[in-house]
Amino acid sequence: MKLQTRLVIIICSLLLFVIIFLSFLFQYMLAATLKEQIGMRALNVAETVAATPHIRDAFKQPNPHQQIQPFAEMIRRKTGAEYVVVGNRQGIRYAHPLPDRIGKKMVGGDNHEVLKGKAIISEAVGSLGPAIRGKAPIFNDRGNVVGIVSVGFLLEDIEDIVWSYTSNIFLFSILALLLGIIGAVVIAKTVKKSIHGLEPKEIGLLYQEKQAILEAIREGIIAVNQNGIITMVNKTAMTLLGYEREQDVLGKYILHIIPHSRLLEVIRTGEAEYDDEMILGEETIITNRIPIVDKKENVIGAVSTFRNKSELYRLTKELSQLKSYADALRAQTHEFSNKLYLISGLIQLESYEEALELITKETNMQQDIVRFVMKEVPDPIVGGLLIGKFNRANELKIQFDIDRQSSFKDIPKQLDRDHLVTIIGNIIDNAMEAALHNGRDQKRVNVFLTDLGDDLIIEVEDNGTGIQEEIAEQIFERGFSTKGKAQRGYGLDLVKNSLKVLGGHITYQSEREKGTVFTVIIPKQREEL
């Protein structure tokens, strides 16, 4: 059965039960109230008649019924009572709506308390049928009970009144039920629309799929509502946050769990933040923050995905190394292809000495840089990077020199080589690009490395056009580039982020039309804050 149908049936059934229950309750209360009011009315009439001097004086006459009967009938007609009966202490009637019953004994068996001087309301079966009766004693001048006044209203008349109200109650109940059915249909359609037409089984399946997807994602995911209360978190996020149970995180204020979280700022501004680095505990993470908006474009929360940066570097380590090797091989292939063509041409021209001289020169130059790097930069990652950049510079016709005073042997084992490659590689790439666009024939890049003292120092100098003063403060911003091309302006931002992790810093000196020198200082032992 569909959800909409079930909702209509449940709401209508509940409404029908409530209407029936309230109808019977109202009918019962109405009948009880009418009986109480009519009983009081009968008693008031009986007490009034009993206290009338005309009735009391009639009991002194030889034939009381001659005075009492006309008076009692007048009272009955004026009050609307079914009967007004007057009798003596023995219960012999002096007045009755049916004259032939005058002189006969009163029935009902409820005169005992009245003969004791008490006025009562009773429900009994009289000579005219079941009735609610008010009875009052008649006292003589000496205060003795000499008679009884009984005023009655038939229960049949009360039931007629109740039934007339019951008909109206029934009509109103039918109207309320119809309105309830219409309301149930509207509610069911609204609920159906709010859950996008899905059935409960489908919603349950979607929830299970969502949970499976969240747990399958290797990134940590945490979501908050517009008040900053955590509404969702997956197991990866729990692990990174250092918690074992969801109950310890769900429902908590985000700043109590992640003190420096910027999710509240994302909610305030409605602007997403991508690939931001932050410290979580003792780990550096890469995080994305995205606002959650409703159909009216109102921000109702935010979600953050994050992952341990060291894991990302481990995952990309092989790819980055392969890319470096591929660039080096491509450069070497291109360069040596040209040299081979040149040697082939010299041999065909029978210029054997020139060919031999060229071969010797190229061999010596290549072997010289390789021997120097192997001796002074024994780390294979950094050494391979420098040789690759040397070959790339040859391909671009850039004079690439590594200062022979360089020494980079004392690189701490705990220093992340990926960050080091990022720093050196991007600075050299920027220097070669600056040299390429200097507008001069000579294009030069010099590299100096030293590990003397407590720091690793890297200097890269180019003979480019220099850095303009008006953009000096922007060169380290992500996406900023003087080339005006998409997907540029990330090199120095990566350098800055890597130095932040390693605890180092970068400075530069630039002179217009003469070039720029970038200096990087990385402590061998990072101070813990």
Side-chain angles (χ1 to χ4, degrees):
M1 186 182 295
K2 292 185 177 181
L3 175 63
Q4 185 172 340
T5 305
R6 282 161 50 187
L7 282 175
V8 172
I9 293 175
I10 291 172
I11 295 174
C12 290
S13 299
L14 179 62
L15 185 62
L16 179 62
F17 171 78
V18 171
I19 288 174
I20 292 175
F21 174 77
L22 291 178
S23 297
F24 279 105
L25 179 63
F26 182 76
Q27 185 176 355
Y28 169 79
M29 293 175 63
L30 176 63
T33 303
L34 281 174
K35 286 182 181 181
E36 182 180 359
Q37 291 179 349
I38 290 177
M40 292 299 298
R41 180 180 173 188
L43 180 61
N44 290 335
V45 173
E47 289 179 332
T48 301
V49 172
T52 302
H54 182 79
I55 295 296
R56 297 173 65 179
D57 292 341
F59 270 81
K60 299 176 183 178
Q61 302 299 323
N63 297 309
H65 69 280
Q66 293 179 353
Q67 295 183 23
I68 294 175
Q69 172 68 6
F71 184 78
E73 282 298 295
M74 180 191 68
I75 297 297
R76 180 181 69 82
R77 287 192 295 271
K78 288 185 176 181
T79 59
E82 190 67 29
Y83 58 81
V84 177
V85 176
V86 180
N88 59 16
R89 281 186 61 85
Q90 290 74 34
I92 303 302
R93 300 187 185 99
Y94 290 155
H96 194 279
L98 300 177
D100 59 339
R101 297 186 182 182
I102 296 174
K104 295 181 180 180
K105 195 171 181 64
M106 299 172 69
V107 297
D110 53 356
N111 291 337
H112 303 291
E113 294 296 322
V114 182
L115 292 175
K116 295 179 182 179
K118 298 179 180 179
I120 65 170
I121 298 173
S122 67
E123 185 174 333
V125 179
S127 61
L128 296 179
I132 294 179
R133 309 195 289 190
K135 292 198 170 191
I138 302 173
F139 296 96
N140 60 15
D141 296 337
R142 289 176 294 183
N144 296 322
V145 177
V146 295
I148 299 172
V149 177
S150 177
V151 178
F153 293 86
L154 292 180
L155 289 177
E156 181 181 350
D157 296 336
I158 297 175
E159 290 173 356
D160 290 341
I161 297 173
V162 172
W163 176 250
S164 66
Y165 281 100
T166 301
S167 300
N168 293 331
I169 293 172
F170 178 76
L171 292 176
F172 281 115
S173 298
I174 295 296
L175 179 61
L177 183 60
L178 291 175
L179 293 175
I181 292 173
I182 295 173
V185 172
V186 172
I187 292 172
K189 288 185 175 180
T190 303
V191 172
K192 189 78 171 178
K193 183 179 179 181
S194 65
I195 59 176
H196 305 288
L198 297 174
E199 295 295 324
K201 186 175 181 180
E202 295 173 323
I203 295 174
L205 181 60
L206 283 176
Y207 176 78
Q208 293 176 344
E209 290 177 351
K210 186 203 78 169
Q211 290 298 111
I213 291 172
L214 287 176
E215 301 309 329
I217 296 174
R218 294 293 302 277
E219 290 188 335
I221 300 176
I222 188 167
V224 299
N225 61 20
Q226 59 185 352
N227 297 319
I229 303 300
I230 298 173
T231 58
M232 188 274 294
V233 63
N234 68 348
K235 287 185 178 179
T236 305
M238 297 283 294
T239 302
L240 290 172
L241 292 171
Y243 292 91
E244 296 182 356
R245 302 184 308 164
E246 285 188 352
Q247 293 82 350
D248 297 332
V249 177
L250 292 178
K252 302 295 179 61
Y253 190 51
I254 183 64
L255 294 183
H256 293 165
I257 304 299
I258 307 177
H260 304 295
S261 175
R262 287 182 52 80
L263 282 176
L264 296 180
E265 184 68 15
V266 171
I267 294 174
R268 187 184 68 82
T269 62
E271 296 180 359
E273 298 179 354
Y274 297 100
D275 299 327
D276 187 28
E277 285 192 18
M278 67 176 292
I279 304 299
L280 187 61
E282 298 181 354
E283 300 289 342
T284 302
I285 63 171
I286 304 296
T287 180
N288 299 309
R289 307 179 188 93
I290 303 173
I292 303 172
V293 297
D294 58 16
K295 293 181 179 179
K296 297 181 180 179
E297 299 298 325
N298 296 321
V299 178
I300 58 175
V303 62
S304 174
T305 63
F306 49 92
R307 193 165 185 177
N308 195 316
K309 189 174 181 180
S310 61
E311 287 188 14
L312 292 176
Y313 274 109
R314 281 196 294 269
L315 290 174
T316 58
K317 186 173 183 179
E318 292 185 6
L319 180 60
S320 62
Q321 290 178 355
L322 288 174
K323 185 176 182 299
S324 297
Y325 295 151
D327 288 343
L329 289 174
R330 180 172 60 84
Q332 288 184 3
T333 301
H334 189 275
E335 181 67 17
F336 281 99
S337 292
N338 292 334
K339 298 293 174 57
L340 287 175
Y341 286 133
L342 177 56
I343 293 170
S344 175
L346 291 174
I347 292 174
Q348 290 177 15
L349 294 173
E350 299 182 355
S351 299
Y352 303 117
E353 292 184 4
E354 289 80 357
L356 183 60
E357 182 182 350
L358 178 62
I359 292 171
T360 302
K361 177 182 177 183
E362 291 297 328
T363 302
N364 290 339
M365 184 174 64
Q366 187 70 24
Q367 289 180 349
D368 181 60
I369 188 66
V370 171
R371 283 196 299 268
F372 175 77
V373 169
M374 289 178 65
K375 178 182 178 182
E376 300 298 336
V377 190
D379 187 285
I381 302 297
V382 179
L385 174 67
L386 292 173
I387 293 175
K389 297 302 180 184
F390 172 80
N391 293 327
R392 176 60 176 165
N394 284 340
E395 181 185 6
L396 297 175
K397 306 302 181 185
I398 297 174
Q399 181 183 340
F400 187 88
D401 293 327
I402 301 177
D403 194 306
R404 290 305 185 263
Q405 299 299 317
S406 297
S407 177
F408 224 54
K409 299 176 183 178
D410 187 20
I411 303 177
K413 292 182 179 181
Q414 72 273 14
L415 193 68
D416 194 318
R417 298 304 192 269
D418 292 316
H419 287 302
L420 199 56
V421 166
T422 298
I423 295 167
I424 298 174
N426 279 288
I427 293 178
I428 292 176
D429 285 343
N430 282 356
M432 289 196 295
E433 191 164 359
L436 278 176
H437 297 86
N438 64 8
R440 296 189 292 272
D441 293 336
Q442 185 182 14
K443 305 179 188 304
R444 176 177 49 82
V445 172
N446 296 329
V447 177
F448 172 71
L449 308 170
T450 180
D451 55 8
L452 296 178
D454 297 329
D455 301 312
L456 300 177
I457 299 176
I458 305 160
E459 286 189 359
V460 179
E461 179 183 2
D462 64 70
N463 66 339
T465 58
I467 298 173
Q468 301 176 15
E469 292 183 4
E470 55 268 22
I471 63 171
E473 299 297 328
Q474 298 176 272
I475 61 173
F476 292 102
E477 294 180 4
R478 179 176 301 184
F480 176 79
S481 174
T482 58
K483 310 300 184 298
K485 297 180 180 178
Q487 305 302 322
R488 301 298 296 269
Y490 291 92
L492 289 178
D493 177 69
L494 293 173
V495 170
K496 179 187 67 175
N497 291 333
S498 294
L499 285 171
K500 182 179 179 181
V501 175
L502 298 180
H505 62 276
I506 183 172
T507 61
Y508 70 90
Q509 294 179 346
S510 182
E511 190 172 350
R512 193 66 180 269
E513 302 301 334
K514 289 187 177 182
T516 304
V517 178
F518 279 93
T519 302
V520 173
I521 300 176
I522 303 172
K524 294 180 182 179
Q525 298 294 332
R526 182 178 179 184
E527 296 182 1
E528 297 294 337
L529 298 178

